[in-house]
Amino acid sequence: MIWKENRENAYCEITPAILALKEQWEKKNYIDPRLYKEYNVKRGLRDEDGRGVLTGLTRVAEIQSYNVYMDAADREHITPAEGVLYYRGIDCRDIVKGSAPRGRYAFEEAAYLLLFGELPTEEQLQDFCVQLSSYRTLPSNFFRDVIMKAPSQDLMNTMQRSILTLFCYDDKPNDIGLENVLRQCLQLTSNMPVLAIYAYQAWRYSLPGESLFIHMPKPELSTAENFLRLLREDCSYTDLEARVLDVALVLHADHGGGNNSTFTNHVVTSSGTDTYSAITAAMCSLKGPRHGGANNKVMSMMTDIKLHVKNWDNEGAVADYITKMLNKEAFDRSGLIYGLGHAVYTKSDPRCEVFRDYVHKLAAEKHRESELTLYANVERIGKQLLMERQHKDAIATNIDFYSGFVYDMLGLPMELYTPLFAVARIAGWSAHRMEELTSGSKLIRPRYECVEDFRPYTPMEKR
């Protein structure tokens, strides 16, 4: 096999030999779904009612979406409730609302709270921001030697490679003492937006006819402001644009200990590995479309709806097309309405509720109210149809339904949607890694039941 510079190489070819091996694999690897019930396996680490199986304890964040009570016969009853997301016991919506009147960006405040368990004083927050700013720099020639090499349209892969390479520039990469891990986490938190934007600029420059421009972050700016400044050629942004992006970062900073990427972080951290490996593992999880790519699916769905529904104000036409989607006759024929319904929230996603106000403000500034009307119609009609089909009293609209629309109004390319998720979630990952190192103390090792039959070894001449 030979690697070719144009990447059209035999190394990546699916050969007849590979297809034959794939068929051989399929013959011996089927597991009857009925066995999962027989062995009482909690598939996806979930109970039958959808709640996650309890696998650990945390003080970092908590989701509440059910009311649980016991009746006179000592039977447990679970009823849907309005969703609440707490950061260290504080409603995340209050963090957003509390910072708005002071004209101060809230992501850094939320990151401090997640890490240290208390809201910072004005002096503590200022010192924390100065600390983050001092770390917002990459090693000399890192962009040229690492990020510019083999740029990928999937920016998450470029970012993962960059984070693993930063291990080589650290004098104490394997030291898991808390002070060293905290230093590493703060440095990665500072540089995650830089890595995301630089990965995008390197990939964009690889396209025909595109030019390259690279800006340096400004130490006095917030994470949200620097993200927009680094992305745009003229470095400009409005106050509302930066504020909306900051709110998005706050609302994505953590989501309890049970989400896939945070649980991955806990599992990998429990092995005693280094910070760069643990954060990269979490990013590998976040990259998956079932986790971090949901808003991309919403955007693709809405683009399809816009194409097939000519009058966005015609609720009957919207309802007819959504019905076709649910009947697996339109869009990707999955029968899903992306962004409606949530694995955890039942009645409402609190992140969506607080985000909605900023969506309206930004749509007005960008003169895209007609698109917002379409989103509102799809949300309302889609939820009604889903509730009728699923015999439910409530369906939550999750934050992904609107976040892609917001990012589009901000001029963010879709390639940056999931990396932006990582820019926010690094705050929570860092807090959970620190917590696992101090409180976990055991290697996380779940059990899988083997359902293969026992059989004797067959000598080569008798096979």
Side-chain angles (χ1 to χ4, degrees), residues 139-191:
S140 299
N141 300 322
F142 191 88
F143 177 74
R144 182 196 67 189
D145 297 339
V146 179
I147 299 176
M148 284 290 292
K149 301 296 184 183
S152 168
Q153 182 176 2
D154 196 319
L155 308 182
M156 292 291 282
N157 283 60
T158 304
M159 293 171 69
Q160 291 161 36
R161 184 181 71 210
S162 297
I163 291 171
L164 287 174
T165 305
L166 285 172
F167 176 101
C168 306
Y169 291 82
D170 192 330
D171 291 339
K172 298 185 289 184
N174 286 311
D175 182 351
I176 58 172
L178 289 184
E179 65 282 353
N180 193 59
V181 171
L182 177 59
R183 185 263 304 174
Q184 292 169 331
C185 286
L186 292 179
Q187 288 173 338
L188 289 176
T189 299
S190 297
N191 281 311

Short mmCIF file of all heavy atoms in Angstrom, two decimals, residues 139-191:
data_model
loop_
_atom_site.label_atom_id
_atom_site.label_comp_id
_atom_site.label_asym_id
_atom_site.label_seq_id
_atom_site.Cartn_x
_atom_site.Cartn_y
_atom_site.Cartn_z
N PRO A 139 2.58 26.92 21.68
CA PRO A 139 4.03 26.89 21.51
C PRO A 139 4.46 27.48 20.16
O PRO A 139 3.68 27.50 19.20
CB PRO A 139 4.37 25.40 21.59
CG PRO A 139 3.25 24.79 22.37
CD PRO A 139 2.04 25.58 22.00
N SER A 140 5.69 27.93 20.09
CA SER A 140 6.22 28.53 18.86
C SER A 140 6.09 27.55 17.69
O SER A 140 6.41 26.36 17.83
CB SER A 140 7.69 28.91 19.05
OG SER A 140 7.83 29.86 20.08
N ASN A 141 5.61 28.06 16.58
CA ASN A 141 5.47 27.30 15.34
C ASN A 141 4.48 26.13 15.44
O ASN A 141 4.44 25.27 14.55
CB ASN A 141 6.83 26.76 14.87
CG ASN A 141 7.83 27.87 14.61
OD1 ASN A 141 7.47 28.93 14.09
ND2 ASN A 141 9.09 27.66 14.98
N PHE A 142 3.66 26.09 16.50
CA PHE A 142 2.70 24.99 16.66
C PHE A 142 1.68 24.98 15.53
O PHE A 142 1.31 23.92 15.02
CB PHE A 142 2.00 25.12 18.01
CG PHE A 142 1.19 23.91 18.41
CD1 PHE A 142 1.78 22.88 19.11
CD2 PHE A 142 -0.16 23.82 18.11
CE1 PHE A 142 1.04 21.75 19.50
CE2 PHE A 142 -0.91 22.72 18.48
CZ PHE A 142 -0.30 21.68 19.18
N PHE A 143 1.22 26.18 15.15
CA PHE A 143 0.25 26.25 14.05
C PHE A 143 0.84 25.69 12.76
O PHE A 143 0.22 24.89 12.07
CB PHE A 143 -0.21 27.70 13.84
CG PHE A 143 -1.15 27.87 12.68
CD1 PHE A 143 -2.46 27.46 12.78
CD2 PHE A 143 -0.71 28.44 11.49
CE1 PHE A 143 -3.33 27.61 11.69
CE2 PHE A 143 -1.56 28.59 10.42
CZ PHE A 143 -2.88 28.18 10.52
N ARG A 144 2.06 26.08 12.45
CA ARG A 144 2.71 25.62 11.22
C ARG A 144 3.03 24.13 11.27
O ARG A 144 2.76 23.40 10.31
CB ARG A 144 3.99 26.42 10.99
CG ARG A 144 4.73 26.08 9.70
CD ARG A 144 6.16 26.60 9.74
NE ARG A 144 6.95 25.88 10.76
CZ ARG A 144 8.18 26.25 11.13
NH1 ARG A 144 8.73 27.34 10.62
NH2 ARG A 144 8.83 25.54 12.04
N ASP A 145 3.61 23.68 12.38
CA ASP A 145 4.14 22.32 12.46
C ASP A 145 3.09 21.26 12.78
O ASP A 145 3.30 20.08 12.46
CB ASP A 145 5.25 22.25 13.51
CG ASP A 145 6.44 23.12 13.16
OD1 ASP A 145 6.60 23.46 11.97
OD2 ASP A 145 7.21 23.48 14.08
N VAL A 146 1.99 21.65 13.40
CA VAL A 146 0.99 20.67 13.82
C VAL A 146 -0.35 20.88 13.13
O VAL A 146 -0.87 19.99 12.46
CB VAL A 146 0.81 20.71 15.36
CG1 VAL A 146 -0.26 19.70 15.82
CG2 VAL A 146 2.13 20.45 16.06
N ILE A 147 -0.92 22.09 13.29
CA ILE A 147 -2.27 22.31 12.80
C ILE A 147 -2.33 22.37 11.28
O ILE A 147 -3.28 21.86 10.67
CB ILE A 147 -2.84 23.61 13.42
CG1 ILE A 147 -2.89 23.47 14.95
CG2 ILE A 147 -4.23 23.91 12.88
CD1 ILE A 147 -3.35 24.71 15.68
N MET A 148 -1.32 22.95 10.66
CA MET A 148 -1.33 23.08 9.20
C MET A 148 -1.03 21.75 8.49
O MET A 148 -1.28 21.62 7.30
CB MET A 148 -0.30 24.13 8.76
CG MET A 148 -0.73 25.56 8.99
SD MET A 148 -2.08 26.08 7.89
CE MET A 148 -1.25 26.10 6.31
N LYS A 149 -0.51 20.77 9.20
CA LYS A 149 -0.17 19.49 8.61
C LYS A 149 -1.43 18.65 8.45
O LYS A 149 -2.14 18.38 9.41
CB LYS A 149 0.84 18.74 9.47
CG LYS A 149 2.16 19.49 9.68
CD LYS A 149 2.91 19.69 8.36
CE LYS A 149 4.27 20.34 8.61
NZ LYS A 149 5.00 20.62 7.36
N ALA A 150 -1.72 18.22 7.21
CA ALA A 150 -2.87 17.36 6.92
C ALA A 150 -4.16 17.88 7.54
O ALA A 150 -4.79 17.20 8.35
CB ALA A 150 -2.59 15.94 7.39
N PRO A 151 -4.58 19.09 7.20
CA PRO A 151 -5.82 19.64 7.78
C PRO A 151 -7.03 18.81 7.36
O PRO A 151 -7.09 18.28 6.26
CB PRO A 151 -5.89 21.06 7.21
CG PRO A 151 -5.08 21.00 5.95
CD PRO A 151 -3.98 20.02 6.22
N SER A 152 -7.98 18.69 8.28
CA SER A 152 -9.16 17.86 8.04
C SER A 152 -10.41 18.71 8.13
O SER A 152 -10.50 19.63 8.93
CB SER A 152 -9.22 16.74 9.09
OG SER A 152 -10.47 16.08 9.06
N GLN A 153 -11.42 18.36 7.29
CA GLN A 153 -12.70 19.05 7.39
C GLN A 153 -13.38 18.74 8.72
O GLN A 153 -14.13 19.55 9.24
CB GLN A 153 -13.63 18.62 6.24
CG GLN A 153 -14.97 19.35 6.25
CD GLN A 153 -15.83 19.00 5.06
OE1 GLN A 153 -15.46 18.19 4.22
NE2 GLN A 153 -16.99 19.63 4.95
N ASP A 154 -13.09 17.56 9.30
CA ASP A 154 -13.60 17.25 10.63
C ASP A 154 -12.63 17.86 11.65
O ASP A 154 -11.61 17.27 11.99
CB ASP A 154 -13.71 15.74 10.83
CG ASP A 154 -14.57 15.39 12.04
OD1 ASP A 154 -14.44 16.09 13.07
OD2 ASP A 154 -15.38 14.45 11.95
N LEU A 155 -12.97 19.05 12.10
CA LEU A 155 -12.06 19.82 12.95
C LEU A 155 -11.84 19.16 14.29
O LEU A 155 -10.80 19.39 14.92
CB LEU A 155 -12.62 21.23 13.14
CG LEU A 155 -13.00 22.00 11.86
CD1 LEU A 155 -13.49 23.40 12.23
CD2 LEU A 155 -11.84 22.07 10.90
N MET A 156 -12.77 18.33 14.73
CA MET A 156 -12.57 17.64 16.01
C MET A 156 -11.33 16.77 15.97
O MET A 156 -10.60 16.66 16.95
CB MET A 156 -13.81 16.82 16.35
CG MET A 156 -15.05 17.65 16.68
SD MET A 156 -14.90 18.56 18.24
CE MET A 156 -15.22 17.23 19.41
N ASN A 157 -11.09 16.12 14.83
CA ASN A 157 -9.90 15.28 14.72
C ASN A 157 -8.63 16.12 14.78
O ASN A 157 -7.64 15.73 15.42
CB ASN A 157 -9.95 14.47 13.43
CG ASN A 157 -10.89 13.29 13.54
OD1 ASN A 157 -12.08 13.45 13.77
ND2 ASN A 157 -10.36 12.09 13.39
N THR A 158 -8.64 17.26 14.11
CA THR A 158 -7.48 18.14 14.16
C THR A 158 -7.23 18.63 15.58
O THR A 158 -6.08 18.69 16.05
CB THR A 158 -7.68 19.34 13.22
OG1 THR A 158 -7.94 18.87 11.90
CG2 THR A 158 -6.45 20.23 13.19
N MET A 159 -8.30 18.98 16.29
CA MET A 159 -8.16 19.45 17.66
C MET A 159 -7.64 18.34 18.58
O MET A 159 -6.79 18.57 19.44
CB MET A 159 -9.51 19.97 18.17
CG MET A 159 -9.99 21.23 17.46
SD MET A 159 -11.69 21.66 17.90
CE MET A 159 -11.47 22.17 19.62
N GLN A 160 -8.14 17.12 18.39
CA GLN A 160 -7.67 16.00 19.20
C GLN A 160 -6.19 15.76 18.99
O GLN A 160 -5.43 15.55 19.94
CB GLN A 160 -8.46 14.74 18.85
CG GLN A 160 -9.92 14.79 19.28
CD GLN A 160 -10.76 13.76 18.54
OE1 GLN A 160 -10.31 12.66 18.26
NE2 GLN A 160 -11.99 14.12 18.23
N ARG A 161 -5.77 15.81 17.73
CA ARG A 161 -4.35 15.62 17.41
C ARG A 161 -3.52 16.72 18.06
O ARG A 161 -2.43 16.47 18.59
CB ARG A 161 -4.17 15.64 15.89
CG ARG A 161 -2.74 15.34 15.42
CD ARG A 161 -2.67 15.40 13.91
NE ARG A 161 -2.81 16.77 13.44
CZ ARG A 161 -3.34 17.10 12.26
NH1 ARG A 161 -3.80 16.18 11.46
NH2 ARG A 161 -3.39 18.37 11.89
N SER A 162 -4.03 17.94 18.02
CA SER A 162 -3.30 19.07 18.61
C SER A 162 -3.16 18.91 20.12
O SER A 162 -2.09 19.17 20.69
CB SER A 162 -4.02 20.38 18.29
OG SER A 162 -4.04 20.62 16.89
N ILE A 163 -4.24 18.48 20.79
CA ILE A 163 -4.20 18.32 22.24
C ILE A 163 -3.20 17.22 22.63
O ILE A 163 -2.41 17.38 23.57
CB ILE A 163 -5.61 18.01 22.78
CG1 ILE A 163 -6.49 19.25 22.65
CG2 ILE A 163 -5.55 17.58 24.24
CD1 ILE A 163 -7.95 19.00 22.95
N LEU A 164 -3.23 16.12 21.89
CA LEU A 164 -2.28 15.04 22.18
C LEU A 164 -0.84 15.50 21.93
O LEU A 164 0.09 15.09 22.65
CB LEU A 164 -2.59 13.81 21.33
CG LEU A 164 -3.84 13.03 21.74
CD1 LEU A 164 -4.13 11.93 20.73
CD2 LEU A 164 -3.70 12.45 23.14
N THR A 165 -0.64 16.37 20.94
CA THR A 165 0.71 16.86 20.66
C THR A 165 1.18 17.81 21.74
O THR A 165 2.39 17.87 22.04
CB THR A 165 0.75 17.56 19.29
OG1 THR A 165 0.26 16.66 18.29
CG2 THR A 165 2.16 17.98 18.92
N LEU A 166 0.27 18.55 22.36
CA LEU A 166 0.66 19.45 23.46
C LEU A 166 1.29 18.66 24.61
O LEU A 166 2.07 19.23 25.39
CB LEU A 166 -0.56 20.23 23.96
CG LEU A 166 -1.03 21.38 23.05
CD1 LEU A 166 -2.36 21.95 23.54
CD2 LEU A 166 0.02 22.47 22.97
N PHE A 167 0.95 17.39 24.73
CA PHE A 167 1.61 16.52 25.71
C PHE A 167 3.13 16.60 25.57
O PHE A 167 3.86 16.61 26.56
CB PHE A 167 1.12 15.07 25.48
CG PHE A 167 1.76 14.03 26.35
CD1 PHE A 167 1.10 13.53 27.47
CD2 PHE A 167 3.01 13.51 26.06
CE1 PHE A 167 1.67 12.56 28.27
CE2 PHE A 167 3.60 12.54 26.86
CZ PHE A 167 2.93 12.07 27.97
N CYS A 168 3.61 16.66 24.31
CA CYS A 168 5.05 16.64 24.04
C CYS A 168 5.73 17.93 24.46
O CYS A 168 6.96 17.97 24.61
CB CYS A 168 5.30 16.38 22.55
SG CYS A 168 4.48 14.90 21.91
N TYR A 169 4.96 19.00 24.64
CA TYR A 169 5.53 20.30 25.03
C TYR A 169 5.46 20.52 26.54
O TYR A 169 5.88 21.57 27.03
CB TYR A 169 4.78 21.43 24.32
CG TYR A 169 5.00 21.49 22.82
CD1 TYR A 169 4.27 20.67 21.96
CD2 TYR A 169 5.94 22.35 22.27
CE1 TYR A 169 4.47 20.72 20.59
CE2 TYR A 169 6.14 22.41 20.90
CZ TYR A 169 5.40 21.59 20.07
OH TYR A 169 5.61 21.64 18.70
N ASP A 170 4.91 19.55 27.27
CA ASP A 170 4.72 19.68 28.71
C ASP A 170 5.87 18.98 29.43
O ASP A 170 6.16 17.81 29.16
CB ASP A 170 3.37 19.05 29.09
CG ASP A 170 2.94 19.39 30.51
OD1 ASP A 170 3.81 19.58 31.38
OD2 ASP A 170 1.71 19.45 30.75
N ASP A 171 6.52 19.66 30.36
CA ASP A 171 7.62 19.06 31.12
C ASP A 171 7.12 18.02 32.12
O ASP A 171 7.89 17.15 32.56
CB ASP A 171 8.40 20.14 31.86
CG ASP A 171 9.20 21.03 30.91
OD1 ASP A 171 9.46 20.58 29.78
OD2 ASP A 171 9.55 22.16 31.31
N LYS A 172 5.84 18.12 32.51
CA LYS A 172 5.28 17.18 33.49
C LYS A 172 3.94 16.62 32.99
O LYS A 172 2.92 16.74 33.67
CB LYS A 172 5.10 17.87 34.84
CG LYS A 172 6.40 18.37 35.46
CD LYS A 172 6.18 18.93 36.85
CE LYS A 172 5.43 20.27 36.78
NZ LYS A 172 5.28 20.89 38.12
N PRO A 173 3.95 16.00 31.83
CA PRO A 173 2.67 15.60 31.23
C PRO A 173 1.94 14.50 31.98
O PRO A 173 0.71 14.45 31.97
CB PRO A 173 3.08 15.13 29.83
CG PRO A 173 4.49 14.66 29.98
CD PRO A 173 5.09 15.60 30.98
N ASN A 174 2.67 13.61 32.62
CA ASN A 174 2.05 12.47 33.30
C ASN A 174 1.82 12.69 34.79
O ASN A 174 1.32 11.80 35.47
CB ASN A 174 2.91 11.22 33.11
CG ASN A 174 2.81 10.65 31.72
OD1 ASN A 174 1.70 10.46 31.21
ND2 ASN A 174 3.94 10.39 31.08
N ASP A 175 2.17 13.86 35.28
CA ASP A 175 1.98 14.18 36.69
C ASP A 175 0.50 14.42 36.95
O ASP A 175 -0.09 15.36 36.41
CB ASP A 175 2.80 15.43 37.04
CG ASP A 175 2.71 15.82 38.50
OD1 ASP A 175 1.88 15.24 39.24
OD2 ASP A 175 3.47 16.72 38.92
N ILE A 176 -0.15 13.56 37.77
CA ILE A 176 -1.57 13.73 38.05
C ILE A 176 -1.81 14.31 39.45
O ILE A 176 -2.89 14.15 40.02
CB ILE A 176 -2.36 12.42 37.86
CG1 ILE A 176 -1.82 11.32 38.75
CG2 ILE A 176 -2.33 11.99 36.40
CD1 ILE A 176 -2.69 10.05 38.74
N GLY A 177 -0.81 15.00 39.98
CA GLY A 177 -1.03 15.80 41.18
C GLY A 177 -2.04 16.89 40.87
O GLY A 177 -2.06 17.44 39.76
N LEU A 178 -2.88 17.24 41.83
CA LEU A 178 -3.99 18.15 41.56
C LEU A 178 -3.53 19.51 41.04
O LEU A 178 -4.16 20.09 40.16
CB LEU A 178 -4.84 18.32 42.82
CG LEU A 178 -5.67 17.10 43.23
CD1 LEU A 178 -6.53 17.45 44.44
CD2 LEU A 178 -6.54 16.62 42.08
N GLU A 179 -2.43 20.04 41.60
CA GLU A 179 -1.98 21.36 41.14
C GLU A 179 -1.53 21.30 39.69
O GLU A 179 -1.76 22.23 38.91
CB GLU A 179 -0.86 21.89 42.05
CG GLU A 179 0.45 21.09 42.04
CD GLU A 179 0.38 19.84 42.88
OE1 GLU A 179 -0.62 19.64 43.59
OE2 GLU A 179 1.36 19.05 42.83
N ASN A 180 -0.92 20.18 39.28
CA ASN A 180 -0.45 20.06 37.90
C ASN A 180 -1.62 19.83 36.95
O ASN A 180 -1.67 20.40 35.86
CB ASN A 180 0.56 18.91 37.77
CG ASN A 180 1.30 18.95 36.44
OD1 ASN A 180 1.96 19.94 36.12
ND2 ASN A 180 1.19 17.89 35.66
N VAL A 181 -2.57 19.00 37.36
CA VAL A 181 -3.76 18.75 36.53
C VAL A 181 -4.58 20.02 36.37
O VAL A 181 -5.08 20.33 35.29
CB VAL A 181 -4.61 17.61 37.13
CG1 VAL A 181 -5.95 17.50 36.41
CG2 VAL A 181 -3.86 16.29 37.05
N LEU A 182 -4.69 20.80 37.45
CA LEU A 182 -5.42 22.07 37.37
C LEU A 182 -4.74 23.00 36.38
O LEU A 182 -5.41 23.64 35.55
CB LEU A 182 -5.49 22.72 38.75
CG LEU A 182 -6.17 24.09 38.82
CD1 LEU A 182 -7.60 24.01 38.32
CD2 LEU A 182 -6.12 24.64 40.24
N ARG A 183 -3.42 23.07 36.45
CA ARG A 183 -2.68 23.90 35.49
C ARG A 183 -2.94 23.45 34.06
O ARG A 183 -3.23 24.27 33.17
CB ARG A 183 -1.19 23.82 35.82
CG ARG A 183 -0.27 24.72 34.99
CD ARG A 183 0.38 23.99 33.80
NE ARG A 183 1.11 22.81 34.22
CZ ARG A 183 1.66 21.96 33.35
NH1 ARG A 183 1.53 22.16 32.06
NH2 ARG A 183 2.31 20.88 33.79
N GLN A 184 -2.91 22.16 33.81
CA GLN A 184 -3.15 21.63 32.47
C GLN A 184 -4.58 21.91 32.00
O GLN A 184 -4.81 22.31 30.85
CB GLN A 184 -2.88 20.12 32.45
CG GLN A 184 -1.41 19.75 32.65
CD GLN A 184 -1.22 18.27 32.90
OE1 GLN A 184 -2.10 17.59 33.44
NE2 GLN A 184 -0.06 17.74 32.52
N CYS A 185 -5.54 21.73 32.91
CA CYS A 185 -6.94 21.97 32.55
C CYS A 185 -7.20 23.43 32.21
O CYS A 185 -7.93 23.75 31.25
CB CYS A 185 -7.85 21.52 33.69
SG CYS A 185 -8.01 19.72 33.85
N LEU A 186 -6.62 24.33 32.98
CA LEU A 186 -6.80 25.76 32.69
C LEU A 186 -6.16 26.14 31.37
O LEU A 186 -6.70 26.95 30.60
CB LEU A 186 -6.23 26.60 33.83
CG LEU A 186 -6.95 26.52 35.18
CD1 LEU A 186 -6.26 27.39 36.21
CD2 LEU A 186 -8.41 26.91 35.04
N GLN A 187 -5.01 25.56 31.08
CA GLN A 187 -4.35 25.85 29.81
C GLN A 187 -5.18 25.34 28.63
O GLN A 187 -5.31 26.02 27.61
CB GLN A 187 -2.95 25.24 29.80
CG GLN A 187 -1.98 25.97 30.71
CD GLN A 187 -0.63 25.28 30.85
OE1 GLN A 187 -0.51 24.09 30.60
NE2 GLN A 187 0.39 26.03 31.26
N LEU A 188 -5.75 24.14 28.76
CA LEU A 188 -6.59 23.60 27.69
C LEU A 188 -7.89 24.40 27.55
O LEU A 188 -8.36 24.63 26.43
CB LEU A 188 -6.89 22.13 27.94
CG LEU A 188 -5.70 21.17 27.77
CD1 LEU A 188 -6.09 19.75 28.15
CD2 LEU A 188 -5.18 21.21 26.33
N THR A 189 -8.46 24.82 28.68
CA THR A 189 -9.66 25.65 28.63
C THR A 189 -9.38 26.95 27.89
O THR A 189 -10.19 27.41 27.06
CB THR A 189 -10.16 25.97 30.05
OG1 THR A 189 -10.48 24.74 30.73
CG2 THR A 189 -11.38 26.86 30.03
N SER A 190 -8.23 27.54 28.14
CA SER A 190 -7.85 28.80 27.47
C SER A 190 -7.63 28.60 25.98
O SER A 190 -8.01 29.45 25.17
CB SER A 190 -6.57 29.36 28.10
OG SER A 190 -6.77 29.68 29.45
N ASN A 191 -7.02 27.47 25.61
CA ASN A 191 -6.60 27.29 24.22
C ASN A 191 -7.59 26.55 23.35
O ASN A 191 -7.41 26.48 22.13
CB ASN A 191 -5.25 26.55 24.19
CG ASN A 191 -4.10 27.49 24.48
OD1 ASN A 191 -3.99 28.57 23.90
ND2 ASN A 191 -3.22 27.09 25.40
#
